[in-house]
């Protein structure tokens, strides 16, 4: 089930080893403005799941202050079921407090 919200922006995240093993991802400078302040909760819709899991924005992990999206174990499990190490996932930004992750069919490294 979709979140029902309109997508403001889409971008892909390449699943490197740290993202794959630890279940977080960083947001590039280009999309930084779409996310909230440090420690702000973020609702993450995983594929077509009807309920979001609640993660948070970490702006202290990266030296330039860009967001790292941290989430409970459900996001890591979803990434492993729907992604591929070296592949990508699609991040759809619905608001600065809501995102939706989707499988991406792009080639791997």
């Amino acid at each position: 089930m979709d979140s029902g919200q309109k997508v403001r922006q889409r971008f892909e995240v390449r699943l490197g080893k740290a993202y794959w093993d630890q279940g977080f991802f960083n947001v590039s400078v280009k999309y930084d403005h779409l996310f909230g302040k440090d420690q702000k909760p973020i609702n993450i819709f995983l594929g077509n799941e009807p309920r979001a899991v609640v993660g948070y924005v970490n702006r202290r992990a990266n030296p330039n202050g860009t967001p790292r999206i941290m989430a409970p174990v459900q996001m890591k499990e979803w990434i492993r079921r729907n992604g591929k190490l070296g592949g990508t996932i699609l991040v759809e930004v619905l608001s600065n407090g809501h995102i939706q992750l989707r499988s991406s069919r792009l080639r791997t490294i």
Side-chain angles (χ1 to χ4, degrees), residues 41-104:
I42 186 164
N43 292 295
I44 305 165
F45 292 92
L46 302 171
N48 292 326
E49 292 295 318
R51 289 197 171 143
V53 297
V54 179
Y56 67 95
V57 175
N58 179 344
R59 287 187 175 270
R60 292 174 287 163
N62 296 311
N64 64 357
T66 55
R68 174 172 287 175
I69 305 304
M70 310 293 294
V73 69
Q74 295 97 319
M75 186 171 88
K76 177 180 174 180
E77 292 169 351
W78 184 90
I79 287 172
R80 289 197 167 190
R81 281 193 317 270
N82 294 280
K84 184 175 182 179
L85 183 59
T88 60
I89 57 170
L90 181 64
V91 178
E92 296 180 338
V93 180
L94 308 172
S95 72
N96 74 357
H98 296 81
I99 60 174
Q100 186 150 15
L101 303 186
R102 297 201 183 271
S103 295
S104 181

